[in-house]
């Protein structure tokens, strides 16, 4: 019995200890769980407040919202490649019937310029002189043409209004389309229409008023050259008036100019009062009197010299400022400029015949009674000159000044030659 009483307390102590450990473990688990719950609760609450702040920021600051949205959005796909197309190259035309003179073989269309077309030829555009001269002075550095090239002659008419001798020119050009271009610079107030079947139809360029002997005359000549230079096929450029006539058929005239390695500008040193006497010492040192030249207004030049005339911004302003009556720019500017820039490329003679036998500021005018076969032959072959290094009696291709009533006798005498 004594042993039984001793064993009972020990058993009771064992069970009591086990119970304490059990409750202690539960208490520890509760404490750990409570701690975890409090920690997680604070984290969730903090996250909710952060999201709320972000939402408020998006609402109150739309720019920031847009930036964030852009940053989060995937990058946009790259833009499609731009298709660059080359303008169609004009179809080459077989000789001896190349494409119409109204078609411009320019490599690409120019902004604000309406180029000539076969159906509605026009040379009108919205460029002022500065832009026109700038564009015309551009020179291709690629020598080979990307199309079949037919060199053309640009016939540039500086006129007041109509061209009374137009039927003669129609006969002259007939059958030679593609070997020439025509440009007409009339007074801007002239608005008469030109028949659609005429070679002169649509050949008018934007013009300005011209005063004889003034800088505006040179402006008109440069304007004609610049418009003609826009056609890359033009290689020779001849200045004409409404009183000019062709002395030979087109083939002879074309070959004479195209096959020459020189330009035809009358440029000579005239020691008289009408020559050196017009020189203004204020032109020095850019232009000295030894460079000063006089000559005829009516010139024929190659493309290189045409570009030089159009792009000149050194000598032209000097002439404009210091060449006033009795100095006339149309008699001195181009002859002097050529003598300075390219004297070796000039023949120093004109190919447009005029009669200065009578004294006065203007050459002789010819009327109906003056036009005879003997007169025309004397004009065509009555002078000796040098062409291509050889002596020739064929020195003039054109003549002036013929009034309107000379048309019928001229047609009668020249038609047989022009019809060949």
């Amino acid at each position: 019995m004594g042993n039984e009483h001793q064993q009972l307390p020990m058993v009771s102590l064992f069970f009591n200890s086990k119970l304490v450990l059990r409750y202690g473990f539960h208490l520890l688990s509760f404490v750990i769980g409570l701690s975890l719950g409090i920690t997680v609760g604070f984290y969730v609450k903090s996250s909710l407040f952060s999201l709320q702040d972000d939402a408020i920021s998006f609402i109150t600051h739309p720019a920031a919202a847009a930036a964030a949205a852009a940053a989060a959005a995937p990058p946009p796909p790259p833009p499609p490649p731009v298709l660059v197309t080359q303008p169609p190259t004009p179809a080459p035309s077989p000789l001896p019937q190349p494409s119409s003179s109204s078609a411009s073989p320019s490599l690409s269309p120019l902004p604000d310029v309406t180029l000539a077309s076969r159906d509605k030829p026009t040379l009108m555009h919205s460029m002022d002189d500065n832009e026109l001269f700038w564009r015309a002075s551009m020179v291709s550095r690629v020598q080979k043409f990307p199309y079949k090239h037919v060199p053309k002659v640009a016939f540039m008419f500086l006129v007041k209004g109509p061209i009374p001798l137009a039927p003669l020119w129609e006969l002259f050009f007939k059958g030679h389309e593609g070997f020439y271009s025509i440009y007409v610079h009339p007074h801007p107030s002239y608005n008469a229409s030109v028949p659609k079947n005429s070679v002169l139809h649509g050949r008018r360029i934007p013009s300005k008023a011209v005063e004889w002997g003034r800088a505006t005359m040179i402006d008109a000549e440069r304007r004609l050259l610049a418009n003609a230079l826009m056609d890359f096929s033009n290689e020779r450029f001849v200045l004409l008036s409404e009183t000019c006539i062709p002395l030979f058929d087109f083939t002879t005239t074309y070959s004479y100019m195209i096959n020459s390695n020189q330009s035809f500008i009358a440029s000579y040193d005239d020691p008289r009062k009408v020559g050196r006497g017009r020189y203004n010492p204020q032109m020095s040192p850019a232009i000295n009197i030894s460079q000063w030249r006089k000559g005829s207004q009516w010139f024929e030049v190659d493309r290189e010299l045409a570009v030089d005339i159009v792009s000149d911004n050194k000598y032209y302003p000097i002439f404009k400022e210091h060449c006033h009556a009795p100095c006339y720019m149309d008699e001195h500017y181009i002859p002097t400029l050529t003598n300075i820039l390219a004297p070796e490329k000039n023949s120093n003679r004109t190919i447009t015949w005029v009669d200065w036998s009578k004294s006065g500021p203007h050459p002789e005018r010819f009327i109906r009674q003056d036009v005879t076969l003997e007169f025309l032959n004397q004009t065509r072959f009555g002078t000796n000159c040098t062409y291509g290094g050889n002596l020739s009696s064929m020195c003039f291709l054109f003549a002036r000044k013929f009034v309107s009533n000379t048309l019928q006798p001229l047609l009668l005498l020249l038609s047989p030659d022009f019809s060949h």
Side-chain angles (χ1 to χ4, degrees), residues 100-104 114-125 180-183 194-205:
S100 170
S101 63
S102 63
S104 172
T114 304
L115 297 177
S117 67
R118 293 180 183 270
D119 298 329
K120 295 182 179 180
T122 178
L123 296 174
M124 301 303 289
H125 54 76
Y180 65 86
S181 300
I182 298 175
Y183 303 85
V194 178
K196 289 187 176 181
N197 61 348
S198 170
V199 295
L200 300 174
H201 177 69
R203 309 315 297 168
R204 176 175 180 163
I205 68 170

Side-chain angles (χ1 to χ4, degrees), residues 121-138:
T122 178
L123 296 174
M124 301 303 289
H125 54 76
S126 61
M127 292 185 289
D128 60 16
D129 284 349
N130 289 332
E131 181 181 356
L132 175 65
F133 295 165
W134 174 73
R135 291 189 182 278
S137 63
M138 295 181 181

Side-chain angles (χ1 to χ4, degrees), residues 335-351:
T336 300
L337 180 68
T338 303
N339 181 56
I340 294 174
L341 299 181
E344 73 287 349
K345 295 197 66 179
N346 185 29
S347 64
N348 292 321
R349 65 182 178 89
T350 180
I351 53 174

Side-chain angles (χ1 to χ4, degrees), residues 13-230:
L13 180 61
F14 172 78
F15 281 107
N16 287 338
S17 298
K18 189 175 181 179
L19 184 62
V20 170
L21 289 175
R22 181 178 179 183
Y23 283 112
F25 177 78
H26 284 297
L27 179 63
L28 180 60
S29 298
F30 174 78
V31 170
I32 292 173
L34 181 63
S35 300
L36 288 174
I38 293 173
T39 301
V40 171
F42 274 107
Y43 177 80
V44 171
K45 184 177 182 180
S46 176
S47 299
L48 289 175
F49 276 115
S50 176
L51 291 174
Q52 184 179 6
D53 289 341
D54 290 342
I56 294 173
S57 176
F58 267 66
I59 296 173
T60 58
H61 300 286
V82 178
L83 181 60
V84 180
T85 59
Q86 295 293 333
T89 302
S93 305
L95 290 174
Q97 294 182 348
S99 59
S100 170
S101 63
S102 63
S104 172
S106 303
L107 296 181
S108 60
L110 298 173
D112 300 323
V113 182
T114 304
L115 297 177
S117 67
R118 293 180 183 270
D119 298 329
K120 295 182 179 180
T122 178
L123 296 174
M124 301 303 289
H125 54 76
S126 61
M127 292 185 289
D128 60 16
D129 284 349
N130 289 332
E131 181 181 356
L132 175 65
F133 295 165
W134 174 73
R135 291 189 182 278
S137 63
M138 295 181 181
V139 178
S140 174
R141 300 181 67 177
V142 178
Q143 298 299 320
K144 187 177 180 180
F145 284 84
Y147 52 84
K148 187 174 182 179
H149 174 59
V150 178
K152 295 192 295 186
V153 175
F155 292 82
M156 308 178 302
F157 289 87
L158 178 55
V159 302
K160 297 177 182 177
I163 302 177
L165 303 177
L168 180 65
W169 287 103
E170 298 274 359
L171 184 63
F172 172 78
F173 288 118
K174 185 177 180 180
H176 302 286
E177 292 77 11
F179 292 101
Y180 65 86
S181 300
I182 298 175
Y183 303 85
V184 183
H185 185 295
H187 191 279
S189 65
Y190 177 69
N191 292 316
S193 60
V194 178
K196 289 187 176 181
N197 61 348
S198 170
V199 295
L200 300 174
H201 177 69
R203 309 315 297 168
R204 176 175 180 163
I205 68 170
S207 60
K208 295 182 180 181
V210 173
E211 296 178 89
W212 178 79
R214 302 289 184 90
T216 54
M217 182 75 76
I218 299 300
D219 294 338
E221 294 175 8
R222 298 176 80 197
R223 202 172 293 125
L224 279 163
L225 281 172
N227 278 276
L229 282 168
M230 304 295 264

Side-chain angles (χ1 to χ4, degrees), residues 290-321:
S290 65
Q291 298 170 315
W292 184 254
R293 293 294 184 270
K294 183 183 178 181
S296 170
Q297 173 186 2
W298 310 102
F299 61 79
E300 192 275 349
V301 297
D302 63 11
R303 189 173 184 89
E304 183 177 357
L305 188 52
V307 171
D308 288 338
I309 294 171
V310 167
S311 61
D312 171 42
N313 55 16
K314 177 180 179 180
Y315 301 102
Y316 173 80
I318 298 174
F319 269 87
K320 188 173 183 179
E321 182 178 0

Side-chain angles (χ1 to χ4, degrees), residues 382-393:
T383 309
N384 291 325
C385 60
T386 301
Y387 176 81
N390 300 315
L391 188 65
S392 174
S393 62

